[in-house]
Amino acid sequence: MLRHRLAGLLAGALLISVAGALPAHAESERTSYINGWILHKESNRWYDSNSDSAWTGVYFEGCSTDADFSYAGLHLYKDVSWNPDVFKGSRTNYCGWVDWNDPDDAGQYYFALKSLANGEALWVNQVRIGW
């Protein structure tokens, strides 16, 4: 009987330690693409309920411009009705992953193209937004 109790306690402790070591999962994500964006173009909005501490990030794959793609400057905003949107920071995307940490604020979010090196329009085969 004592052996079964010890085995159960050890299994429970192991389960707790493994579960605690797993990374936190993002609240949600969306996949899309960019087709000929020019400066100041905005992404679709998504709702972050801030129910976790996951970072908000944007991943680009397959980037090109009408010249030679180097990077895209992105700004993250919280959409605020009837008031100026809240600027949450800027990041430079070299056709990979960028993140803005945890916005720590529930609401509608979007990113905007604020700069583009080498070109006037941007195409991205896959855009993945995680929050």
Side-chain angles (χ1 to χ4, degrees), residues 56-60 72 74 91-94 96-100 128:
T56 296
V58 176
Y59 172 76
F60 283 179
L74 307 177
R91 299 292 184 268
T92 302
N93 193 316
Y94 295 96
W97 181 258
V98 295
D99 63 65
W100 284 270
R128 191 204 248 141

Side-chain angles (χ1 to χ4, degrees), residues 57-61 63 69-74 90-100 111 113 115-117 122 124 126-128:
V58 176
Y59 172 76
F60 283 179
E61 182 179 305
C63 305
F69 178 84
S70 184
Y71 65 82
L74 307 177
S90 63
R91 299 292 184 268
T92 302
N93 193 316
Y94 295 96
C95 204
W97 181 258
V98 295
D99 63 65
W100 284 270
F111 69 90
L113 179 63
S115 64
L116 189 59
L122 173 67
V124 181
Q126 183 181 41
V127 177
R128 191 204 248 141

Side-chain angles (χ1 to χ4, degrees), residues 98-113:
V98 295
D99 63 65
W100 284 270
N101 299 325
D102 179 12
D104 201 27
D105 194 10
Q108 294 281 340
Y109 285 87
Y110 66 94
F111 69 90
L113 179 63

